[in-house]
Amino acid sequence: MKEVEIFCKNTGSYHSFPMGTSLLEISSSLNIKDDHSVCGAIVNNQVKELTFCVVKPKQIEFIDVSNTDGIRLYIRSLIFLLYAAIKEVFPHVDFRVQNGISNGYFCELNGLEREISESDVFSIKQEMQSMIDADLPFVKKDLLTPEAVDLLMKQGLVEKAQLIEQQGQLYTHLYFLNDLADYLFGHLLPSTGYIRNFGLIPYYDGLLLIVPRRKNFLKLRKVSYHDKLFEIFQEQKDWAGIIDVSTVGSLNDRTLNGRGGEVIKISEALHEKKIAEIANMISSRNGDVKVVLIAGPSASGKTTFSKRLGVQLAVNGLRPHHVSLDDYFVDREHTPRDEHGEYDFEALEAIDIAFFNRQMIDVFEGKRVSLPRFDFRQGKRTNNGDTLQLTPGDILIVEGIHGMNPDLLTRIEERNTFKIFISALTQISMDEHTHISTADNRLLRRTIRDAKYRGYHAADTIKRWPSVRKGEERNIFPYQENADVMFNSATLYELGVLKKYAEPLLKMVLENQKEYSEATRLLEFLSYFKQINDDEIPPTSLLREFLGGSSFVY
């Protein structure tokens, strides 16, 4: 039998195997041992499932759940398992994955017609465990697309069927667990026996599916309740209901029927209405609010939001003044370093807190202060002659990632502040079982902005993204519930617009680059969207901060 040679990064050596050997057989033969069970592989810098068979020379790296792509494989398989268990316990209930929250995935059971009880959760978990114990295979099958669509429709997965049909492909592959079919826009584990840890609890009016920690698989991620974040997710459902666009399929349907402009207009009007409402809340504080703090993760649109809020505050008779926390960075040699010895610009200690508080107190007392300007090229704080003195009717808008941190303004009374947390909480889902990650939405925004304004290639942005996300998890998200109000900067239409700008950038990532795997995943994701023309996006839109064409000066 003809053999193929592979290079295994885990062993650091070449090996020969019969043509058609599966990755699972190769990992077993090489006795690959990771911290946890091998769940997939990176083959020529593309993610593959363990059932993938090698017929040509390949470079292979086996991965487990400590790897980002590995945990994605695990989560998709876990969601399919949950779906199958619910179909067994509640055959007539519609199961929907809504969004990621509290280190888990919020799911709804529509048609149960009563509150979910602890006994319901116990029954579902028991069924899931019995399927795990049976080690049932996830079987991948290629079907003629009309057959796949018909099968999904019979299972009640109308949204999934609609999206697959829109792709116009001759064949479609589905995964099967016993006789139940599903597709979760990515690879799965070989079988249910690979799922060794999960949690399931009642959460608000639904369920929370809890996944293991990446670095400590035996422990589940910590669960907490995020009332304000959950409320904003519920608001997004209402907004999607107003336009009747809750999935990619329904958005594509509007686009194909020439109604993309209508979605843009309504989405932008909803944003303007929300910003006006926030401005009214601030103005109603009887003049107590002296500073508005705006915080949020990377590519959430903080800068444009602060400018649009300033316009609405001006409509209410206030005079806004904008200040960036970035200008209060300590000089480069005093910047803290992370565990790798790199400058940690996202740590609170990277800001001169004492100096910032001193200036804020002086400003609130009516004194004139000289505003700093941070020179990022020299790594030093400078003074360019700008001054600030507040008079009655003036209000300060401070933008920066630490705005929700209680240690930022330690010497300012709470009643004098108004905190706004902003993030791009994607408002549509792929279909019933696949939510769209808010992080993916922001990564696409940042990829476009970095290329347009900073000269970075998509590979550069993708390479930096894990570090950015780590900083957000440490410095931003733990404080988001401190906000007086949250604002969702995502729009229903934007992924259809971002497609046009992001695809050419992602296609420039080469196969021999480590970032090729992530670029390929994002391209596959964008392939499901029909492109929306951006001509009707107004110059004041938050999206213009990334696309260009904004009427605001940055």
Side-chain angles (χ1 to χ4, degrees):
M1 181 179 290
K2 188 174 182 180
E3 293 195 335
V4 293
E5 188 177 64
I6 64 105
F7 177 78
C8 179
K9 294 183 70 175
N10 306 81
T11 63
S13 56
Y14 288 91
H15 307 272
S16 293
F17 290 94
M19 183 182 293
T21 304
S22 72
L23 292 175
L24 182 59
E25 292 169 324
I26 293 174
S27 67
S28 298
S29 174
L30 297 180
N31 197 28
I32 302 296
K33 298 293 184 184
D34 287 306
D35 293 338
H36 314 294
S37 296
V38 170
C39 58
I42 307 295
V43 179
N44 288 4
N45 285 327
Q46 289 192 72
V47 181
K48 299 294 182 182
E49 55 205 342
L50 290 176
T51 53
F52 175 80
C53 295
V54 177
V55 295
K56 293 181 181 180
K58 302 287 184 182
Q59 174 183 275
I60 299 171
E61 179 183 7
F62 292 99
I63 58 175
D64 61 17
V65 293
S66 64
N67 179 281
T68 301
D69 290 307
I71 196 65
R72 285 181 180 136
L73 280 159
Y74 191 92
I75 291 169
R76 290 188 205 105
S77 306
L78 182 57
I79 288 172
F80 194 174
L81 175 65
L82 176 58
Y83 169 50
I86 289 172
K87 291 297 284 185
E88 287 292 326
V89 178
F90 301 111
H92 304 297
V93 165
D94 292 325
F95 164 68
R96 175 176 289 274
V97 179
Q98 285 290 2
N99 46 257
I101 189 172
S102 187
N103 292 317
Y105 296 89
F106 177 68
C107 310
E108 291 182 337
L109 300 184
N110 299 318
L112 189 60
E113 298 180 350
R114 59 176 172 79
E115 288 188 5
I116 297 170
S117 67
E118 290 283 356
S119 64
D120 293 333
V121 175
F122 178 79
S123 298
I124 296 169
K125 288 178 69 176
Q126 200 171 36
E127 183 63 33
M128 291 173 74
Q129 190 59 54
S130 70
M131 292 181 176
I132 292 171
D133 295 339
D135 195 20
L136 303 172
F138 292 107
V139 179
K140 185 177 181 179
K141 295 181 182 179
D142 285 320
L143 303 174
L144 285 166
T145 296
E147 293 178 9
V149 168
D150 183 59
L151 180 58
L152 294 172
M153 290 289 286
K154 288 178 179 177
Q155 285 184 200
L157 301 180
V158 178
E159 295 165 358
K160 196 181 296 284
Q162 179 190 29
L163 186 55
I164 287 175
E165 191 171 34
Q166 287 173 347
Q167 295 306 100
Q169 296 176 341
L170 185 60
Y171 276 86
T172 296
H173 68 262
L174 299 178
Y175 286 90
F176 288 81
L177 190 55
N178 288 332
D179 295 327
L180 197 65
D182 206 344
Y183 181 65
L184 292 145
F185 305 91
H187 301 303
L188 300 185
L189 300 170
S191 65
T192 56
Y194 281 71
I195 301 173
R196 299 180 181 177
N197 195 14
F198 70 94
L200 191 69
I201 61 171
Y203 193 80
Y204 293 101
D205 58 348
L207 296 170
L208 188 71
L209 179 64
I210 312 165
V211 297
R213 299 179 183 181
R214 282 177 54 184
K215 301 300 183 182
N216 190 348
F217 185 69
L218 299 179
K219 289 188 176 182
L220 295 175
R221 297 177 185 177
K222 185 179 178 181
V223 174
S224 56
Y225 283 80
H226 301 280
D227 294 340
K228 292 172 183 173
L229 183 61
F230 187 77
E231 182 181 341
I232 208 74
F233 272 123
Q234 294 303 104
E235 181 182 74
Q236 86 177 27
K237 284 176 56 182
D238 295 338
W239 285 17
I242 290 172
I243 312 179
D244 193 23
V245 175
S246 59
T247 64
V248 177
S250 55
L251 176 63
N252 287 342
D253 190 54
R254 290 293 186 97
T255 305
L256 293 169
N257 288 310
R259 299 175 64 191
E262 177 187 331
V263 178
I264 291 174
K265 292 184 182 72
I266 298 176
S267 297
E268 292 295 334
L270 287 167
H271 263 186
E272 196 62 38
K273 178 181 178 181
K274 183 68 175 181
I275 296 171
E277 289 173 352
I278 294 172
N280 291 339
M281 292 171 65
I282 296 168
S283 302
S284 68
R285 289 278 190 94
N286 299 318
D288 282 344
V289 177
K290 299 183 184 301
V291 57
V292 177
L293 297 164
I294 299 173
S298 175
S300 56
K302 297 184 292 293
T303 303
T304 303
F305 173 82
S306 68
K307 293 181 181 296
R308 286 180 64 173
L309 179 65
V311 171
Q312 290 293 342
L313 290 171
V315 170
N316 286 3
L318 297 173
R319 290 184 297 275
H321 299 271
H322 296 267
V323 171
S324 172
L325 270 181
D326 287 357
D327 287 323
Y328 288 85
F329 273 131
V330 298
D331 288 347
R332 186 70 43 80
E333 63 265 27
H334 302 304
T335 302
R337 294 178 182 267
D338 61 18
E339 64 272 23
H340 304 295
E342 302 291 333
Y343 288 119
D344 188 356
F345 295 108
E346 294 182 326
L348 182 63
E349 293 75 20
I351 303 292
D352 192 337
I353 299 297
F355 177 57
F356 177 66
N357 274 263
R358 191 162 60 249
Q359 283 218 321
M360 292 301 99
I361 289 172
D362 287 346
V363 166
F364 295 161
E365 289 178 352
K367 298 177 184 177
R368 183 178 296 276
V369 301
S370 296
L371 293 175
R373 178 72 62 188
F374 193 82
D375 188 321
F376 285 89
R377 182 169 297 177
Q378 296 184 36
K380 291 185 179 295
R381 200 165 60 222
T382 62
N383 190 326
N384 64 355
D386 289 344
T387 63
L388 176 65
Q389 183 178 30
L390 296 185
T391 59
D394 290 345
I395 190 168
L396 205 56
I397 298 177
V398 177
E399 173 211 332
I401 67 171
H402 298 291
M404 304 300 105
N405 192 323
D407 293 329
L408 176 67
L409 279 175
T410 56
R411 299 172 62 187
I412 306 300
E413 291 187 37
E414 190 72 21
R415 66 185 181 88
N416 294 140
T417 67
F418 190 93
K419 300 184 181 72
I420 304 170
F421 186 82
I422 175 173
S423 191
L425 306 175
T426 316
Q427 298 173 30
I428 60 174
S429 300
M430 294 296 287
D431 57 32
E432 296 93 339
H433 299 163
T434 313
H435 83 295
I436 294 175
S437 166
T438 62
D440 283 350
N441 198 151
R442 293 189 292 110
L443 176 54
L444 289 169
R445 284 180 173 186
R446 180 163 170 147
T447 299
I448 295 165
R449 184 186 64 190
D450 283 357
K452 189 174 185 67
Y453 297 109
R454 301 176 184 179
Y456 293 158
H457 295 292
D460 298 325
T461 303
I462 292 171
K463 183 179 181 179
R464 290 183 177 92
W465 191 240
S467 177
V468 171
R469 296 280 291 126
K470 185 176 181 180
E472 293 170 350
E473 294 291 343
R474 183 174 64 246
N475 299 309
I476 300 177
F477 295 129
Y479 306 106
Q480 61 187 1
E481 286 292 315
N482 292 339
D484 292 290
V485 67
M486 289 188 178
F487 178 80
N488 183 6
S489 71
T491 60
L492 286 163
Y493 67 84
E494 73 173 89
L495 288 165
V497 172
L498 295 179
K499 175 187 175 82
K500 168 186 172 182
Y501 292 87
E503 280 186 336
L505 301 174
L506 294 169
K507 287 177 180 178
M508 293 175 67
V509 181
L510 304 178
E511 186 184 29
N512 63 0
Q513 293 179 286
K514 187 177 181 180
E515 295 75 26
Y516 184 73
S517 171
E518 184 70 349
T520 302
R521 183 185 70 84
L522 292 171
L523 283 168
E524 174 68 18
F525 164 66
L526 288 172
S527 71
Y528 288 93
F529 290 83
K530 302 303 179 184
Q531 186 171 302
I532 298 176
N533 195 307
D534 61 339
D535 290 348
E536 294 194 55
I537 301 177
T540 54
S541 171
L542 274 82
L543 207 55
R544 287 291 177 197
E545 182 176 330
F546 308 95
L547 304 180
S550 176
S551 57
F552 293 114
V553 178
Y554 296 102

